[in-house]
Amino acid sequence: MTIAANLEAIRRRVEAAARRAGRDPHSVALMAVSKTHPAADILEAVAAGQFLFGENRVQEFAAKHAAVSAAGAKVHLIGHLQSNKAAKAAELFDAVDSVDSLKLAERLQEAGARLGRTLDILLEVNVGGEAAKSGLAPDAPELLEILRAQPRFANVQIKGLMTVPPVSEDPEDARPYFRRLRELREELRGQCGLELPELSMGMSHDFEVAVEEGSTCVRVGTAIFGARPYSTSQEPQ
Ligand SMILES: *Cc1c(COP(=O)(O)O)cnc(C)c1O
């Protein structure tokens, strides 16, 4: 299968899942996760009409950035970011979907102000409470602290929440975690008054379940680009 054919197949499955759930298929964005794959693969996807990508390491994307931005693609950072790399990330990425501390949000605000740009961010929530995963606990006071800091952030726009549920063979196992993220969004909305329209959830093996549970952005890597030569998902950077 080519990247173009894979994209087409995933788009159809996203649409079908949205219809099953009584949702507008246009309310779900498809993010192609291109980590570990070369810029040439990203350009192939762009040629097939895909313009939203996810990368998980600042350093790795720096090498692809020139080619990819020239092609008009938008790229979000979806991997853990240390606050000392916030400035570099703010330069390279269109959005950071994996913000997990107030300090990082503040650093991105400073970097955005310096660059004269506004950065969209999502707050990453560790709904499964896994020790090895990054993200804020659903009941972490810091979650609300970041949301309540929004009025101080002229250059950072908090758009919603992101999660990576525990790994499991059966996609149905992810459903309670996706549902929990949606419910958490409702709770936080009531507490902070922000709209939080975005819920980034669902990967290659469980994106249909995520769409049924309200995902507005599914992050699909393997099912588009094939197996990765090595794993980087939880490596620090
Ligand atoms: C790698 C990665 C994905 C894509 O995973 P696949 O199983 O290859 O679709 C999605 N989200 C995050 C945060 C990732 O690190």
Side-chain angles (χ1 to χ4, degrees):
M1 290 288 270
T2 62
I3 289 171
N6 290 341
L7 279 166
E8 184 55 29
I10 300 293
R11 286 187 194 122
R12 281 181 204 281
R13 285 170 60 191
V14 168
E15 273 181 39
R19 293 219 165 81
R20 270 200 306 282
R23 300 184 55 203
D24 176 0
H26 296 106
S27 65
V28 189
L30 171 59
M31 172 184 285
V33 177
S34 47
K35 65 187 185 198
T36 78
H37 297 285
D41 285 6
I42 301 179
L43 300 182
E44 200 176 321
V46 169
Q50 177 66 31
F51 288 92
L52 176 63
F53 295 86
E55 287 274 339
N56 74 335
R57 307 182 81 179
V58 175
Q59 215 74 338
E60 182 193 334
F61 180 60
K64 310 181 204 175
H65 176 259
V68 169
S69 62
K74 295 260 179 275
V75 183
H76 293 201
L77 179 64
I78 60 171
H80 180 68
L81 177 63
Q82 286 171 358
S83 19
N84 62 2
K85 291 202 178 146
K88 191 72 190 160
E91 266 174 47
L92 293 174
F93 292 94
D94 295 286
V96 178
D97 293 356
S98 47
V99 173
D100 59 0
S101 73
L102 180 58
K103 183 174 166 193
L104 177 56
E106 285 168 342
R107 289 289 150 78
L108 290 170
Q109 162 56 33
E110 288 160 20
R114 253 195 324 272
L115 295 165
R117 58 169 305 201
T118 300
L119 209 58
D120 286 347
I121 67 168
L122 301 180
L123 305 186
E124 183 173 358
V125 182
N126 183 358
V127 278
E130 293 171 282
K133 277 215 170 97
S134 47
L136 292 146
D139 58 357
E142 195 167 357
L143 200 47
L144 207 51
E145 274 174 48
I146 304 172
L147 293 167
R148 289 190 168 144
Q150 174 66 81
R152 294 196 273 121
F153 297 154
N155 302 80
V156 160
Q157 211 54 49
I158 308 171
K159 292 290 196 180
L161 308 178
M162 184 271 241
T163 199
V164 181
V167 175
S168 170
E169 288 284 302
D170 184 357
E172 280 299 324
D173 291 344
R175 190 181 295 277
Y177 298 103
F178 295 150
R179 190 169 293 168
R180 178 75 190 102
L181 195 72
R182 173 161 50 82
E183 290 167 356
L184 181 63
R185 188 260 303 267
E186 308 311 321
E187 292 164 26
L188 293 170
R189 231 182 213 167
Q191 290 169 294
C192 73
L194 297 176
E195 195 58 29
L196 306 175
E198 302 292 337
L199 285 179
S200 173
M201 55 190 199
M203 301 166 39
S204 286
H205 75 297
D206 58 15
F207 66 87
E208 285 153 312
V209 174
V211 169
E212 288 167 10
E213 293 300 330
S215 175
T216 62
C217 181
V218 292
R219 309 178 306 268
V220 179
T222 311
I224 294 171
F225 296 107
R228 285 180 286 277
Y230 56 94
S231 164
T232 66
S233 56
Q234 291 299 325
E235 277 175 33
Q237 49 171 351

